[in-house]
Amino acid sequence: MNPVSIKVACSNCNLRELCMPLGLKGEDLDKIDQVVATRRKVKRGARLYGNGEKFTALFAIRTGFFKTCITTEDGRNQVTGFQMAGEIMGLDGIVKDQHTCDAVALEDAEVCVMPFDQIEELSREVTALQRHMHKIMSREIVREHGVMLLLGSMRAEERLAAFLLNLVQRLHARGFSQSELLLRMTREEIGSYLGLKLETVSRTFSKFVDEGIVEVKQRHVRILDTDALKRIVNNNQNPCQ
């Protein structure tokens, strides 16, 4: 789908603090506004970009929810992450100038298109933007290490507890409830990300319900005992961020 040419005006966006550097001067914001000049709408189930496609831009999620996934050698679809409003997508394409995964919208979404060559050029002028880009890349490395820890050393209960805590923390940073969330992804997708079978995810959710830790109504989850989830994770610090 072609981008829609609409002036985004990062300076007026309520997600600016999440995806742009803090403390930018007015003139620097104007420069960024000139670069981030288009939005793209992505329908639920459609791809923002696909594995093997040429890398040209980063994408700041304005509204909606995405998953990134790869196809393994044996043909399985493996979920590698979930992304929400205020987060940057497309970093996987920087290394080889082509994307290494599929980015699929889990609901109707809209992204701001950030042409990478222009962002790279501008970051040489605006040092705060350069530092911010390094911070985003570093956060992605930390997240990858956290997922490795999650999949390598945690039981099913720990994995799901860490996932729920991380998700509600990220949503709370965007102004949502600290205890209630709507799961945009299916339990099968959660299982793919956490390295668990669908049956195990469902059984673990039921266990949390029976123990009075959460309430679950279809995709609506209400966390009743945050401390219990934290105890289950054994003090690991948000391993799936």
Side-chain angles (χ1 to χ4, degrees):
M1 181 181 296
N2 291 327
V4 179
S5 291
I6 304 175
K7 194 64 182 171
V8 173
C10 300
S11 53
N12 297 323
C13 180
N14 60 1
L15 293 173
R16 189 183 80 194
E17 292 183 1
L18 292 171
C19 66
M20 281 289 131
L22 292 173
L24 283 178
K25 299 177 182 177
E27 59 188 39
D28 290 337
L29 268 174
D30 289 341
K31 292 176 182 177
I32 293 175
D33 282 348
Q34 291 171 16
V35 172
V36 186
T38 58
R39 298 180 193 170
R40 179 179 300 174
K41 292 183 181 295
V42 188
K43 290 289 186 182
R44 178 184 177 186
R47 290 192 311 182
L48 175 60
Y49 55 80
N51 178 35
E53 288 182 12
K54 182 175 175 57
F55 167 71
T56 59
L58 298 175
F59 303 94
I61 304 173
R62 188 171 173 84
T63 60
F65 218 96
F66 287 83
K67 69 174 179 180
T68 48
C69 50
I70 59 173
T71 301
T72 61
E73 291 184 2
D74 59 3
R76 288 182 297 109
N77 194 264
Q78 173 70 50
V79 176
T80 58
F82 299 104
Q83 297 79 23
M84 63 182 70
E87 295 180 342
I88 306 294
M89 299 185 67
L91 294 166
D92 62 291
I94 294 176
V95 177
K96 295 183 177 180
D97 287 326
Q98 67 178 32
H99 291 289
T100 60
C101 65
D102 295 333
V104 181
L106 294 176
E107 61 183 356
D108 288 352
E110 186 176 67
V111 300
C112 300
V113 182
M114 306 163 66
F116 187 68
D117 56 348
Q118 296 179 48
I119 288 291
E120 198 172 29
E121 183 177 345
L122 184 59
S123 69
R124 298 190 188 102
E125 296 180 38
V126 184
T127 54
L129 179 60
Q130 186 178 59
R131 286 196 299 270
H132 187 66
M133 294 306 298
H134 291 163
K135 190 174 180 179
I136 291 171
M137 293 176 189
S138 176
R139 188 170 62 205
E140 190 69 11
I141 293 170
V142 171
R143 188 196 69 81
E144 289 285 346
H145 288 172
V147 173
M148 289 173 64
L149 172 66
L150 187 75
L151 299 183
S153 62
M154 288 186 165
R155 297 175 294 110
E157 291 86 354
E158 293 171 326
R159 296 181 192 190
L160 186 58
F163 174 76
L164 291 174
L165 285 171
N166 173 260
L167 198 58
V168 78
Q169 174 196 347
R170 288 158 67 196
L171 288 167
H172 181 59
R174 288 147 181 81
F176 292 96
S177 169
Q178 283 185 287
S179 60
E180 297 190 28
L181 54 94
L182 173 64
L183 297 176
R184 268 73 172 188
M185 68 292 292
T186 65
R187 293 190 181 189
E188 188 172 13
E189 288 167 334
I190 294 173
S192 176
Y193 178 62
L194 297 179
L196 301 171
K197 294 181 179 179
L198 172 60
E199 296 79 8
T200 304
V201 174
S202 297
R203 186 167 60 246
T204 306
F205 263 119
S206 296
K207 185 174 187 292
F208 287 174
V209 170
D210 292 342
E211 293 175 355
I213 298 173
V214 301
E215 281 182 357
V216 179
K217 294 181 180 178
Q218 295 180 327
R219 293 196 181 187
H220 291 267
V221 176
R222 183 181 175 204
I223 298 175
L224 303 175
D225 193 341
T226 302
D227 289 339
L229 287 179
K230 291 179 179 178
R231 287 194 296 271
I232 291 170
V233 179
N234 291 327
N235 298 319
N236 278 300
Q237 297 298 310
N238 294 327
C240 57
Q241 187 165 346

